[in-house]
Amino acid sequence: MSLFWQELKKIWRPGILAGIVLLGLIYYYMFPSFYIEHFSNGPSAQDEFDLSVEWVAQYGPTLEPEERAELDSRLAEEISIFDRQIRDIPEAAAAGVADYDSFQAFSSRHDHDKTELKVIWTIQDSTNCDTISTIQHMLERYDMSRDYLEQRDYFEFYTPQEKEAILAVNSWPRSLLSGSVMDSTNFYLKYLAQWTAISVILLLSPTLVRDRLRRTRPLQWASRRGRRILHTQLAAGLVSALLLSAVNVTVCAIPFLAQGPLALKDCPLGNTVWGGGTPWFNWTYGQYLAVLAGMVLALGIGIGAVTLFLSRFSDNYVSMLLKAFPLFVVMGGFFATWVVSGAFFFRTAWDYAGFYVTKGAEAICIAALLIVGAALTGWNCFRQRKLED
């Protein structure tokens, strides 16, 4: 056990940790911090999230038909509030806008000059018209016929299995999960997965190269216990990859969860009143977050195993850097982001692709990465044992 702790200390060197922390802060500021500062990006998205939280507290995670009827009175109430608010806007009165109906007629015209556009923007910023519009669109979507999908032309291009999955989701109870929350979740977790891949590669790349440069192998080979140090080093490396991934998930989860998305944790992923993607599995939002967090942890372990293998067969830091760079690109730039962003939803393989990701493909890819990592680790151990013999 003492050897294991010594190997952990060699991996978690203060200089490397300081570099990872500094790069992590820069990365966070450049990318995922936007989705914290603008958790619900735009007034309509913020209204959607606020209404979702309010209605979940009132009705539960789904909206039943008898509960939907109560929202007509809520819409009327919001319109009455708008009518009172607009009385305090002199520009509205000068433009002949006295209530919500007249504002709708005024704003729907296509020949506005600069003065009229300024009046519209002033009214939008000073009233609850975004809330009214959000509720109206939700009610229209809720009242839409459940078989409207089959009437769309593009529906015929799906396979029978895909059609069955889409129609099954369309028959679920209407979820109150906010689409803006799902958008923020997908983008934020995409960057979390990407940073996890990058940080694990940075932490583990020098691990086995350092011993080779310092010529510690001949010293280790002089004792029976030292000959098997590779097993301990690989174990310490994989544990370090898991620990660093867990730290990344924990640190990044704190500011994200502070925005309040867990208020919607019991809402089903599919058939939301706000519209959105089609999930393959009938999970709740809370379960979905847990699954994605587990995928990021597994991703870190798999990438850690591949990094250790490359480090094992690198003669110097330049050689390892030449191997680490394509690993950054493939694992951080492509694989990590693809496997997490929009995971387990009905989606194309990439933008403008002509085919769709199959059910559970993301989990299969993560499992394949773990199998490859286990195979490389096992081959390393087997090769070392052959040398000992």
Side-chain angles (χ1 to χ4, degrees):
M1 184 59 73
S2 61
L3 283 176
F4 179 79
W5 289 112
Q6 288 298 324
E7 291 300 327
L8 281 180
K9 289 180 181 179
K10 287 166 60 177
I11 293 173
W12 295 83
R13 295 169 65 87
I16 294 178
L17 289 180
I20 290 176
V21 170
L22 178 60
L23 288 175
L25 292 174
I26 296 173
Y27 182 88
Y28 180 83
Y29 176 77
M30 291 179 62
F31 299 108
S33 64
F34 175 86
Y35 298 98
I36 298 299
E37 183 180 356
H38 305 282
F39 177 72
S40 292
N41 194 11
S44 296
Q46 185 62 52
D47 287 334
E48 179 184 302
F49 174 64
D50 293 339
L51 288 170
S52 291
V53 173
E54 176 188 343
W55 292 342
V56 165
Q58 183 175 356
Y59 301 115
T62 59
L63 188 68
E64 303 301 329
E66 60 273 13
E67 296 168 337
R68 176 258 176 268
E70 298 179 18
L71 299 184
D72 286 327
S73 60
R74 172 62 184 273
L75 177 61
E77 178 185 343
E78 293 292 339
I79 292 176
S80 298
I81 294 173
F82 176 92
D83 293 343
R84 292 195 299 269
Q85 290 174 336
I86 204 168
R87 296 170 191 166
D88 299 326
I89 305 175
E91 296 87 347
V97 178
D99 55 21
Y100 186 73
D101 291 337
S102 58
F103 173 67
Q104 286 291 89
F106 179 75
S107 61
S108 62
R109 287 164 38 194
H110 301 288
D111 55 347
H112 297 295
D113 56 29
K114 292 184 178 179
T115 302
E116 292 175 334
L117 288 174
K118 186 176 180 180
V119 171
I120 294 175
W121 295 335
T122 301
I123 293 174
Q124 289 176 337
D125 292 338
S126 305
T127 65
N128 64 337
C129 66
D130 286 328
T131 302
I132 295 173
S133 177
T134 301
I135 296 176
Q136 285 178 328
H137 291 161
M138 187 280 289
L139 294 179
E140 291 173 1
R141 191 177 293 110
Y142 190 98
D143 295 336
M144 195 176 296
S145 171
R146 296 230 172 185
D147 60 357
Y148 78 98
L149 282 173
E150 300 179 72
Q151 301 170 6
R152 299 295 181 93
D153 293 337
Y154 62 79
F155 193 74
E156 295 303 319
F157 293 98
Y158 297 143
T159 65
Q161 294 81 4
E162 291 167 348
K163 291 178 181 179
E164 182 180 355
I166 294 172
L167 293 176
V169 172
N170 201 45
S171 66
W172 295 353
R174 301 308 300 270
S175 171
L176 285 169
L177 179 62
S178 168
S180 66
V181 168
M182 285 302 301
D183 289 340
S184 296
T185 300
N186 282 328
F187 281 106
Y188 192 75
L189 285 176
K190 176 184 74 172
Y191 288 121
L192 168 60
Q194 188 175 68
W195 169 247
T196 297
I198 293 172
S199 61
V200 167
I201 295 172
L202 290 174
L203 179 68
L204 297 182
S205 290
T207 300
L208 301 179
V209 179
R210 190 184 303 115
D211 283 353
R212 184 183 293 270
L213 290 176
R214 294 181 178 179
R215 302 182 185 279
T216 58
R217 289 296 180 199
L219 295 176
Q220 293 168 344
W221 196 261
S223 68
R224 178 175 297 180
R225 190 177 184 187
R227 292 182 184 183
R228 300 194 177 186
I229 190 63
L230 180 62
H231 300 74
T232 305
Q233 290 176 326
L234 293 175
L238 294 177
V239 169
S240 296
L242 176 60
L243 288 176
L244 182 57
S245 301
V247 169
N248 286 333
V249 170
T250 302
V251 171
C252 292
I254 292 173
F256 182 77
L257 297 182
Q259 308 308 310
L262 288 185
L264 309 178
K265 67 181 185 301
D266 295 324
C267 294
L269 290 181
N271 201 25
T272 72
V273 297
W274 308 107
T278 301
W280 287 110
F281 303 100
N282 191 12
W283 291 333
T284 64
Y285 176 65
Q287 292 169 337
Y288 187 62
L289 288 180
V291 169
L292 290 185
M295 289 177 63
V296 172
L297 296 178
L299 180 71
I301 296 173
I303 293 176
V306 176
T307 304
L308 288 170
F309 176 79
L310 296 178
S311 181
R312 174 75 173 85
F313 295 99
S314 298
D315 294 329
N316 50 58
Y317 290 128
V318 174
S319 175
M320 183 60 219
L321 182 62
L322 293 175
K323 295 176 179 135
F325 181 74
L327 194 62
F328 279 131
V329 175
V330 174
M331 290 298 178
F334 175 72
F335 183 80
T337 57
W338 179 87
V339 82
V340 171
S341 181
F344 305 113
F345 272 76
F346 187 74
R347 59 184 175 122
T348 56
W350 56 82
D351 291 343
Y352 309 112
F355 59 95
Y356 295 85
V357 177
T358 59
K359 183 177 181 179
E362 297 85 356
I364 295 173
C365 289
I366 289 288
L369 176 63
L370 291 175
I371 292 172
V372 170
L376 293 176
T377 302
W379 188 81
N380 260 331
C381 295
F382 175 76
R383 186 174 181 273
Q384 181 68 19
R385 182 171 297 179
K386 293 290 288 184
L387 291 175
E388 292 171 9
D389 296 340

